[in-house]
Amino acid sequence: MHVEEGFAKFRGYQTWYRITGDIGKGKTPLVILHGGPGCTYDYVDSFKDLADSGRAVIHYDQIGNGKSTHLADMPAEFWTVDFFLAELENLLQTLGVGEGYALLGQSWGGMLAAEHAVRRPGGLRALVIANSPASMALWSSEAQRLRTALPQKVQDALKRNEEAGSIDSVEYHDASRVFYDRHVCRLQPWPEEVARTFAAMDVDPTVYHAMNGPTEFHVIGSMKDWSIIDRLDRIQVPTLLISGRHDEATPVTVQPYADLIPDVRWTIFENSSHMPHVEEREACMQTVSDFLDGVEV
């Protein structure tokens, strides 16, 4: 399998990318948008499996993360949806796929992919929104509901540290991990590529803290009021929704996509939380491959 890595220049910065397979040969290429905001490509690396079906798969690290340019000194207001949309568009044009491509966005990546799709770009052929909320208000309310099902001592530790401002404490980290092990990735131990992403975020949490906050369930960053619900009817391409039965992106958070995107279908993986692509890897890859082949892209 041909694998190529490189950098796309963007506004004086560099976006790292990797292509698995051959662009221009076979099926429509698929671009993978990782989550966070502030993760790395590592934890969604498994989508490279889709290249086995004759489809080039393009991973990249969004600026501020992974192998792309880090900007730890940038103020919070620098990190915007529009910035990451422009970076994506630049990557599509740099790689010469802007006239025909599919997008798969996971978590924040799905939110970003939906933002791209509502603008009706001419080259977009299909969309996969994986484990993504349609609004952060829904996400936050559901996260609080999921927190109430945690052991009481875990709830108390989370609340105590949030109120005290000691969210960097070992106690808070350990309590947060209980939530993550239930609703982010249920495999134990976490797969190496998942652990690698979280380790990278610990080293440089700039983007995550600016746009999200300290944890998945304590959203105080610039995205806290984000919603795409009132624009979803603008998406004109076939769309696949993916989520896990134990997902922090609960059915309530995903439902607006199912209700409002005109051409949509939804698969819930019964033995997964936020990462069916690692928790039920083979079944997830088959679902995505069947969808893309079925809409002939």
Side-chain angles (χ1 to χ4, degrees):
M1 182 71 67
H2 176 74
V3 178
E4 174 188 341
E5 295 187 26
F7 291 91
K9 295 180 180 179
F10 174 66
R11 298 183 181 177
Y13 312 124
Q14 293 197 102
T15 301
W16 172 86
Y17 65 83
R18 186 191 70 197
I19 306 167
T20 306
D22 295 300
I23 291 177
K25 297 180 181 179
K27 303 173 183 178
T28 299
L30 175 66
V31 182
I32 309 297
L33 284 64
H34 67 68
C39 289
T40 67
Y41 89 95
D42 300 84
Y43 83 101
V44 286
D45 181 62
S46 58
F47 286 112
K48 67 187 179 186
D49 294 355
L50 295 168
D52 291 339
S53 68
R55 182 186 311 282
V57 177
I58 301 165
H59 284 83
Y60 74 103
D61 280 330
Q62 295 158 26
I63 285 175
N65 312 290
K67 299 177 183 179
S68 294
T69 304
H70 284 243
L71 299 166
D73 295 329
M74 285 296 183
E77 56 267 25
F78 176 84
W79 306 104
T80 64
V81 171
D82 284 344
F83 175 83
F84 289 110
L85 285 174
E87 180 192 22
L88 171 60
E89 179 62 30
N90 179 73
L91 180 67
L92 296 172
Q93 297 309 317
T94 298
L95 297 181
V97 300
E99 298 306 311
Y101 58 95
L103 290 185
L104 186 155
Q106 199 278 337
S107 197
W108 145 253
M111 298 155 64
L112 184 62
E115 285 277 6
H116 180 80
V118 298
R119 289 160 171 78
R120 298 179 176 176
L124 182 62
R125 300 289 181 257
L127 178 66
V128 182
I129 298 174
N131 319 99
S132 305
S135 85
M136 291 309 288
L138 289 175
W139 174 274
S140 295
S141 64
E142 284 295 279
Q144 294 308 308
R145 181 180 66 79
L146 293 174
R147 274 178 62 155
T148 64
L150 298 175
Q152 190 61 51
K153 65 178 182 180
V154 174
Q155 296 184 52
D156 293 344
L158 292 172
K159 182 178 180 181
R160 180 167 57 251
N161 284 275
E162 287 166 1
E163 290 178 346
S166 53
I167 56 177
D168 292 330
S169 69
V170 172
E171 182 185 51
Y172 190 73
H173 177 273
D174 290 346
S176 299
R177 182 61 188 255
V178 176
F179 180 96
Y180 283 43
D181 286 345
R182 288 190 180 192
H183 302 297
V184 178
C185 183
R186 293 167 70 86
L187 297 181
Q188 294 297 327
W190 281 357
E192 194 276 333
E193 68 269 24
V194 175
R196 199 161 62 237
T197 282
F198 277 90
M201 292 175 70
D202 286 342
V203 172
D204 185 358
T206 303
V207 183
Y208 189 68
H209 285 177
M211 297 184 75
N212 185 83
T215 65
E216 294 291 272
F217 47 78
H218 191 45
V219 181
I220 56 176
S222 61
M223 292 293 291
K224 65 181 183 298
D225 297 320
W226 176 87
S227 176
I228 200 168
I229 293 174
D230 63 348
R231 294 173 285 150
L232 289 175
D233 60 349
R234 302 178 191 174
I235 295 178
Q236 294 182 315
V237 297
T239 301
L240 170 67
L241 307 176
I242 287 173
S243 60
R245 182 60 66 190
H246 309 282
D247 204 332
E248 58 180 340
T250 67
V252 169
T253 73
V254 178
Q255 193 65 50
Y257 290 117
D259 291 340
L260 298 171
I261 296 175
D263 183 0
V264 68
R265 64 282 286 151
W266 185 1
T267 297
I268 299 177
F269 290 88
E270 296 296 330
N271 298 311
S272 293
S273 57
H274 199 50
M275 299 187 185
H277 57 277
V278 296
E279 295 168 289
E280 296 182 70
R281 181 168 176 166
E282 185 175 347
C284 182
M285 297 306 142
Q286 191 64 55
T287 297
V288 175
S289 181
D290 288 348
F291 163 69
L292 293 174
D293 287 347
V295 296
E296 298 181 352
V297 303

